[in-house]
Each structure stands twice: as structure tokens, then as C-alpha cells.
């Protein structure tokens, strides 16, 4: 080939190489953009999916609807959520709420808008939510002689020798197993609500023989639970299951 032809071929090859390089660069750029868009779409989908399946604590409804205070809620935190509880206090709307801490028990209560409630339902560490409500005393025991029940229904001293309980506090329909020295099931203060379940003092439980309460301690404990005069829950049933020999 003549020098002219060789020169032309070299220029053509150079131009072709530059062209192919531009094609490769453009292809790489398009591929990179495509990968980036695909990853962004995947990330957005993941976030949306995570949001859709986020942990939402339901509002538990107790008591009568007419006793619930509209727009007021009580929020309990998990026992190990002290850090989250502290973080919750820093929220702007949370400054108007009331806080209660007793050991591992942490709770907050007060007025919340629907938007604020939705935020609380997804806040880390929240264990339970329920509406604030009015509790009505429907039972009264006057001239109380037992310090325990007199103290159980009031925070401040002096004691008023009055015991009151609400509509959910009389123990109706509840069975309490008393694992102690037994129960004197014939005691008049139980009104037939103390029943023999099993005698477990010998290492296995015998449901056939009621040995009563030779010691008296089990009857005392059952009386604190359910007796008419000294009991907290005056309509529950006590099931005797002695476990300690006398």
C-alpha cells in the first residue's frame, strides 16, 4: 500500500477507536444511571414496605364507652425502654403530658391529637395504649377495721376507714388459687366462695381429701383476697391448694 493509503487507514482506525470509546462511555454512563435508578427504586420500595409493616401498637379499649375521656390516652412503655422513654420526653408535643415512673414501670398520659396518637403508636418502646377514663366507685365498705384494705384505695394519709372499689374491682368471675397451708372453706366470711382444689403437701396433688387448714396462715391469706370483711376482691372464688405441711 502507498503511504497515502496507509495514512488514510490509520486515520480511519483512530476515528473508529474514538467513536467506539464514545459508545462504550455512553453505554457505561447509561448502565450506571440505569443501575442507580434501579437501586433507588428498590430502596424506595423497601422503605414503603417497611413503613407499611411498621409495628403499630393498637389502642386497647376497656370499660364502658361513655366513661372514656375523648382525646386523652395513657401510654405504657416496655420495662427495658428507659432510653426510648427519655427520648419521648424530648418530643415537642410531649411537654404538656404527665409522666410516671415507678421502678421499671414507665407511663405517660394526657391529651393527644389523632396525628400525635398515630406518632405514639409507632414510637419505639411503647408497650400498650388505652384511653383515659373515669372510674366509678360502686362498692363501699365503711368503718373498716383492716389496715390493708383501708390503705389500698387511698394515697394520702390519714386513713379514712373507708374502702371503695369500681365496677371492675369486686372479683366477680375470678378464681384465685391459694398455694399455702390450706383454707378453712367453711368460714362464714367466704360465703361459700372458698373451695377445695387439691392437697399438694405430700409431693403430689391429691384431689380427693380436704385436710382444711391446720395452721391458719392460708385462711388468713385467702381472707385478705376474698373475705367479706377483710378482702380486696369480695366476690372472687378462692381455690384451696395446700403446699406446705404443718
Amino acid at each position: 500500500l502507498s503511504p497515502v493509503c496507509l495514512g488514510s487507514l490509520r486515520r480511519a482506525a483512530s476515528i473508529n477507536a474514538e467513536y467506539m470509546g464514545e459508545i462504550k462511555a455512553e453505554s457505561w454512563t447509561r448502565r450506571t444511571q440505569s443501575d442507580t435508578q434501579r437501586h433507588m427504586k428498590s430502596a424506595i420500595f423497601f422503605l414503603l414496605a417497611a413503613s407499611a409493616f411498621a409495628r403499630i401498637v393498637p389502642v386497647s379499649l376497656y370499660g364502658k364507652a361513655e366513661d372514656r375521656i375523648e382525646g386523652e390516652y395513657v401510654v405504657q412503655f416496655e420495662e427495658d425502654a428507659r432510653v426510648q422513654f427519655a427520648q419521648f420526653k424530648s418530643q415537642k408535643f410531649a411537654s404538656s403530658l404527665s409522666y410516671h415512673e415507678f421502678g421499671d414501670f414507665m407511663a405517660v398520659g394526657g391529651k393527644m391529637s389523632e396525628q400525635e396518637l398515630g406518632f405514639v403508636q409507632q414510637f419505639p418502646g411503647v408497650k400498650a395504649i388505652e384511653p383515659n377514663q373515669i372510674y366509678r366507685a360502686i362498692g363501699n365498705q365503711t368503718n373498716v377495721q383492716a389496715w390493708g384494705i383501708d390503705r389500698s384505695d387511698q394515697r394520702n394519709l390519714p386513713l379514712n376507714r373507708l374502702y371503695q372499689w369500681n365496677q371492675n374491682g369486686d372479683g366477680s368471675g375470678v378464681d384465685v388459687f391459694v398455694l399455702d397451708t390450706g383454707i378453712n372453706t367453711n368460714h362464714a366470711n367466704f360465703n361459700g366462695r372458698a373451695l377445695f382444689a387439691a392437697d399438694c403437701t405430700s409431693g403430689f396433688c391429691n384431689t380427693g381429701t380436704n385436710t382444711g387448714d391446720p395452721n391458719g396462715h392460708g385462711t388468713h391469706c385467702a381472707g385478705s383476697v376474698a373475705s367479706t370483711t377483710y378482702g380486696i376482691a369480695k366476690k372472687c372464688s378462692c381455690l384451696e391448694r395446700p403446699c406446705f405441711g404443718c
Side-chain angles (χ1 to χ4, degrees), residues 138-151:
I138 62 169
N140 291 279
Q141 181 180 347
T142 59
N143 195 26
V144 171
Q145 302 298 316
W147 178 90
I149 59 175
D150 195 358
R151 192 70 175 94

Side-chain angles (χ1 to χ4, degrees), residues 2-214:
S2 67
V4 176
C5 290
L6 287 173
S8 298
L9 288 173
R10 289 193 185 101
R11 285 196 299 272
S14 176
I15 293 172
N16 183 64
E18 291 177 1
Y19 177 73
M20 292 302 296
E22 290 176 358
I23 291 177
K24 289 181 179 179
E26 183 180 0
S27 176
W28 182 85
T29 301
R30 289 179 178 176
R31 186 168 63 250
T32 302
Q33 292 175 343
S34 177
D35 290 344
T36 301
Q37 291 174 349
R38 186 169 63 253
H39 292 318
M40 288 181 64
K41 289 179 180 179
S42 297
I44 293 172
F45 175 81
F46 176 81
L47 291 173
L48 290 174
S51 176
F53 292 98
R55 175 179 175 268
I56 298 178
V57 179
V59 177
S60 301
L61 301 179
Y62 299 102
K64 298 179 180 179
E66 58 265 29
D67 289 336
R68 297 172 195 147
I69 303 174
E70 186 176 358
E72 291 192 16
Y73 299 91
V74 178
V75 181
Q76 182 183 354
F77 279 73
E78 299 283 359
E79 289 77 5
D80 59 351
R82 193 165 298 279
V83 172
Q84 293 89 334
F85 188 62
Q87 291 173 341
F88 183 86
K89 292 180 180 179
S90 67
Q91 303 300 315
K92 185 176 181 180
F93 79 92
S95 60
S96 62
L97 305 177
S98 59
Y99 295 85
H100 305 275
E101 293 184 60
F102 306 98
D104 290 334
F105 177 84
M106 295 167 287
V108 57
K111 289 183 175 295
M112 301 179 195
S113 66
E114 290 187 9
Q115 183 179 1
E116 290 166 345
L117 175 62
F119 174 81
V120 171
Q121 287 182 284
Q122 299 184 62
F123 196 87
V126 171
K127 180 179 182 179
I129 305 172
E130 64 178 82
N132 193 13
Q133 57 185 301
I134 299 171
Y135 280 88
R136 307 180 187 280
I138 62 169
N140 291 279
Q141 181 180 347
T142 59
N143 195 26
V144 171
Q145 302 298 316
W147 178 90
I149 59 175
D150 195 358
R151 192 70 175 94
S152 69
D153 72 338
Q154 67 178 90
R155 181 185 296 271
N156 300 320
L157 295 174
L159 298 179
N160 57 10
R161 301 186 70 180
L162 175 68
Y163 172 55
Q164 297 179 307
W165 58 93
N166 62 35
Q167 65 264 32
N168 300 317
D170 62 4
S172 298
V174 176
D175 293 332
V176 178
F177 285 87
V178 180
L179 280 65
D180 208 286
T181 60
I183 301 176
N184 177 5
T185 56
N186 295 320
H187 198 292
N189 235 270
F190 293 118
N191 291 328
R193 291 176 290 105
L195 307 170
F196 173 71
D199 185 345
C200 303
T201 56
S202 60
F204 64 92
C205 292
N206 177 11
T207 59
T209 304
N210 181 5
T211 56
D213 181 14

